Amino acid sequence: MKGKDLLLALEEAVFNRDSASLESLLAGFDGSDVGPSEAIRALAKGMDRVRGRLRDREISIPEFLLSIDVFRQGLRRIARDACEEEPGEDRETRTVVIGVVEGDTHDMGKNIVAAVLEASGYRVVDVGRDVPRDVFLSALKETKASILALSTMMSTPLENMREVIQWTRRLYPDVKILVGGAPLDERIAAALGADGYAESAVTAPEEASRLVGKTRRAAKAAPVPKAG
Amino acid sequence: MNLFQIVQALRQGKIPPVREIPEPLVDAVAAAASLRGRWTPLSSVERVLAAFRHKEPDRVPVTPVLCSGARQITGISFPEFALDAEKAAEAYVAGFDLVGGDVLVLLLDLSVEAADFGQKILYPENSTPRPDHSDPCVKTVEDYGRIRPIDFSQARRMQEFVKLCRLVVKRVGLRGLVTGFVFGPLGVLSMMRGAEALFKDCVLYPAEVRKACETITGVLLEFVQAQAETGVPAIVIDTLYASRNGLSKELWEAIEGPFAREISRKIKENGLLVGVHNCGHDLYFDAQIRSMEPEVISFAHLPDDCVSERELKEKYGDSVTLIGSIPTPLLVQGTPREVMEACARQIEVFAKGGGYVLAPGCEYPPNIPLTNAFALVRAAEKYS
């Protein structure tokens, strides 16, 4: 299969969570017919359609997770066979550091959000679960990320989340902070000092875009410092 | 159960198993309580009984669902609360005496059953116990078949929970209604496998997951039986994954539904009331009712087939008693006045005709001050 047919088939494989089909489609893939970026965009399109089905309650979390697996399988395969690293555009402003704050190991929601952000074109650096403050801060320093996404499903680690936010504000004031999880709502997110709140994986990419948009607008609006 | 036995149970300070009392008699007592409640304050047991029989009591019954949050009162750590029934009982009773309420929901944490099945659990000083996800008990799909029934007499944490039930029932007596608690088999499995892997397995390997649920349920039935023998008048089954946060409705009914039904039957065989707790989004009231036929459902969010609280009350308010649903974020961040205002709104929607207990949608957040627990109890007194 080649060209547009291949792209469509890749999209369908993710949409139908068909791991075997994806594997056969990408067997021998070398990026010469369809470029790696195009192939990745097709996979992402499949994820976006699946996210729409989740939003419309046509599927539930387990099916969504299986589509994520196929999507990631495709990314790995393309990276391996076509030496593609990541989609290139706006990389620096589109890196997200994501993790579950210290004191909590529930990471399914975080994993889902990481995948949908990845499918939406962000470079996602997942630092895991039960993550101490300093690990987040190091990741922000190393990756020059523009968004920090924090998650918890419990109320007990909220103080840890507040602490990570405060330190991020202090050390990396340009980084936008997105939070999500069961004990949170918009108001708590704001009280903790976050810039945004994602109610679910369905809304996370839009909320992240809003924050990145904010960064860009702020950068454009900022006065250019005069030399000397 | 005849009148003599009922009186005998009451004289021992125990609530008799409601299902064993002839229904007309229960209704007559509830109606009498409802009538008397127009003029004089009722006891907690009368109040809850009236509400459960869909009669309006003197005021809305309330529970702050103060579980490990109560350890703040007696100054014990999370591990002490989780592992020492005596200390947990002391905290529960202290919470009940200090904050008040009509119902005590006994819950240590969600790792109790999984721990006894061999899952390694971490016990942090300042947070709820949790499974060590780096070392799950069920590492592969094949491991589902390797789960074996355990000797319940040696199940240390479940035995400790049974002891907690016994101690609190004895100490609270007829001052409040004390409920037991059991995590559904899928919940227990999620502690042993990790939720993400379990969810995918439910789609890809349903037979293997069902087999594991069957083994676990066998032990949970013993757990429920032991709780029933302590004198708790009701046991709550937590079926978290019967919601949009978990499986699809069809998949839940196919996998956990039959086992939830078995657990519910065991509770009912003992004459006890069945409660269901589910703090997921868009929970499946209809499927859970089909499966467990509960008297009570505790919820945090609207069911998938209702768009408003009013619709929930209209659709399900006559068939089950609703418990809830002050949101956790409000308890964490809201002022006592805001919590009371939210309570007033819920009382206005749900209280008419009985069948309602004011409560948080989930356990009272264990690390926040108890101020909003007081606000919740005060709201029930003020706005009913």
Side-chain angles (χ1 to χ4, degrees):
Chain A
M1 198 177 286
K2 290 193 166 186
K4 282 185 181 172
D5 289 343
L6 174 61
L7 294 176
L8 197 62
L10 288 173
E11 181 185 328
E12 285 299 310
V14 171
F15 185 73
N16 296 319
R17 47 189 183 277
D18 188 344
S19 167
S21 162
L22 184 99
E23 200 57 39
S24 74
L25 287 168
L26 290 178
F29 180 84
D30 60 5
S32 57
D33 170 43
V34 167
S37 294
E38 275 183 289
I40 289 172
R41 269 198 292 275
L43 298 174
K45 212 169 160 187
M47 272 309 296
D48 207 41
R49 284 173 60 203
V50 178
R51 188 163 66 94
R53 291 194 75 198
L54 185 69
R55 180 196 58 221
D56 298 340
R57 303 177 179 196
E58 290 168 10
I59 57 165
S60 56
I61 300 285
E63 291 85 2
F64 193 66
L65 289 167
L66 290 169
S67 278
I68 288 174
D69 281 355
V70 177
F71 169 69
R72 290 220 159 118
Q73 177 191 344
L75 289 186
R76 279 196 303 272
R77 192 66 200 250
I78 291 166
R80 191 192 73 190
D81 295 346
C83 302
E84 174 70 3
E85 286 179 359
E86 300 292 336
E89 194 189 347
D90 275 352
R91 240 176 98 169
E92 196 174 319
T93 58
R94 284 180 156 247
T95 297
V96 180
V97 167
I98 190 168
V100 178
V101 294
E102 190 168 20
D104 192 359
T105 56
H106 296 89
D107 64 351
M108 188 168 66
K110 181 268 294 172
N111 294 344
I112 293 173
V113 170
V116 297
L117 289 177
E118 212 171 343
S120 301
Y122 293 90
R123 186 167 83 94
V124 176
V125 177
D126 186 344
V127 290
R129 60 190 175 201
D130 197 11
V131 178
R133 179 195 67 201
D134 289 348
V135 174
F136 283 112
L137 297 176
S138 299
L140 289 173
K141 187 178 180 185
E142 283 165 21
T143 62
K144 296 189 172 66
S146 49
I147 296 178
L148 172 65
L150 302 172
S151 159
T152 181
M153 291 300 286
M154 299 163 71
S155 62
T156 43
L158 285 176
E159 273 314 303
N160 296 339
M161 186 178 267
R162 187 195 303 275
E163 205 190 331
V164 175
I165 292 171
Q166 284 172 348
W167 276 88
T168 303
R169 286 263 173 268
R170 202 172 301 162
L171 297 176
Y172 307 103
D174 293 336
V175 170
K176 296 294 172 187
I177 302 167
L178 180 63
V179 297
L184 296 155
D185 59 13
E186 278 179 354
R187 186 179 155 185
I188 295 187
L192 291 171
D195 299 293
Y197 163 70
E199 191 185 9
S200 70
V202 169
T203 60
E206 283 74 22
E207 188 62 6
S209 295
R210 189 181 70 78
L211 298 185
V212 174
K214 262 188 187 176
T215 307
R216 285 174 179 159
R217 276 195 298 277
K220 277 179 189 168
V224 180
K226 288 178 183 170
Chain B
M1 186 171 240
N2 60 36
L3 205 55
F4 175 73
Q5 289 167 315
I6 296 168
V7 172
Q8 203 174 28
L10 291 171
R11 286 182 67 180
Q12 287 171 0
K14 284 185 179 175
I15 300 171
V18 176
R19 283 180 164 276
E20 288 184 7
I21 304 172
E23 224 168 292
L25 181 58
V26 179
D27 275 333
V29 173
S34 177
L35 188 66
R36 200 166 67 76
R38 292 181 192 179
W39 294 283
T40 57
L42 300 176
S43 71
S44 285
V45 173
E46 288 175 303
R47 184 174 299 127
V48 174
L49 179 68
F52 279 16
R53 301 305 294 184
H54 297 267
K55 310 273 193 292
E56 283 185 24
D58 57 336
R59 65 161 171 80
V60 162
V62 61
T63 171
V65 196
L66 193 55
C67 302
S68 56
R71 52 165 241 299
Q72 297 178 65
I73 301 167
T74 53
I76 59 171
S77 65
F78 276 96
E80 285 173 317
F81 182 83
L83 298 169
D84 186 333
E86 181 57 56
K87 287 181 177 171
E90 201 184 321
Y92 260 109
V93 176
F96 180 64
D97 289 341
L98 183 68
V99 181
D102 302 294
V103 181
L104 281 96
V105 181
L106 298 184
L107 159 70
L108 290 173
D109 59 81
L110 297 177
S111 71
V112 169
E113 297 89 343
D116 287 335
F117 274 98
Q119 175 59 49
K120 187 178 169 195
I121 305 293
L122 303 173
Y123 296 94
E125 278 297 305
N126 294 316
S127 189
T128 316
R130 56 175 181 260
D132 181 353
H133 288 296
S134 66
D135 188 12
C137 215
V138 181
K139 292 182 174 61
T140 65
V141 173
E142 289 71 33
D143 287 344
Y144 286 118
R146 297 190 184 107
I147 298 173
R148 293 281 170 264
I150 54 171
D151 177 357
F152 183 69
S153 68
Q154 302 300 312
R156 197 170 70 89
R157 292 206 61 202
M158 284 191 268
Q159 290 290 351
E160 208 63 18
F161 183 78
V162 172
K163 184 178 170 188
L164 170 70
C165 293
R166 195 175 304 115
L167 291 170
V168 177
V169 164
K170 192 173 176 192
R171 290 175 195 176
V172 169
L174 297 176
R175 293 188 294 139
L177 188 138
V178 181
T179 80
F181 190 94
V182 61
F183 204 10
L186 265 187
V188 177
L189 262 185
S190 73
M191 295 273 144
M192 299 161 70
R193 171 71 165 146
E196 195 172 330
L198 174 68
F199 281 12
K200 290 187 270 191
D201 294 340
C202 284
V203 176
L204 300 173
Y205 311 102
E208 284 82 350
V209 176
R210 260 195 297 265
K211 177 79 189 125
C213 282
E214 189 181 340
T215 307
I216 290 170
T217 300
V219 177
L220 297 184
L221 293 176
E222 288 187 74
F223 187 29
V224 160
Q225 181 63 38
Q227 289 183 47
E229 288 166 9
T230 66
V232 292
I235 295 178
V236 177
I237 310 171
D238 186 335
T239 45
L240 175 63
Y241 299 130
S243 71
R244 290 270 307 159
N245 297 102
L247 309 184
S248 68
K249 192 179 290 183
E250 295 72 25
L251 198 56
W252 182 80
E253 287 202 275
I255 294 185
E256 189 172 50
F259 303 107
R261 178 177 295 120
E262 273 190 65
I263 296 168
S264 171
R265 275 188 190 151
K266 174 59 82 178
I267 296 169
K268 289 179 182 182
E269 270 172 32
N270 283 280
L272 310 189
L273 303 173
V274 174
V276 168
H277 171 69
N278 188 323
C279 52
H281 284 84
D282 298 315
L283 65 160
Y284 312 138
F285 259 57
D286 52 356
Q288 291 178 102
I289 289 171
R290 273 196 295 276
S291 163
M292 293 173 276
E293 296 177 343
E295 277 80 13
V296 175
I297 297 184
S298 148
F299 63 102
H301 303 280
L302 288 174
D304 67 329
D305 53 355
C306 294
V307 295
S308 69
E309 290 177 339
R310 288 194 191 281
E311 188 183 356
L312 167 59
K313 176 70 176 175
E314 277 168 28
K315 202 173 230 174
Y316 293 106
D318 290 338
S319 53
V320 290
T321 292
L322 302 167
I323 298 192
S325 59
I326 301 302
T328 298
L330 182 65
L331 294 170
V332 171
Q333 188 64 29
T335 62
R337 176 180 289 180
E338 286 168 331
V339 169
M340 289 183 73
E341 285 167 358
C343 292
R345 283 194 296 276
Q346 296 213 346
I347 289 169
E348 201 265 317
V349 174
F350 290 119
K352 194 161 187 249
Y356 176 60
V357 178
L358 176 67
C362 201
E363 173 189 0
Y364 189 83
N367 269 356
I368 65 166
L370 302 179
T371 330
N372 282 336
F374 283 104
L376 208 115
V377 174
R378 179 75 189 102
E381 293 161 357
K382 187 175 177 188
Y383 297 118
S384 295

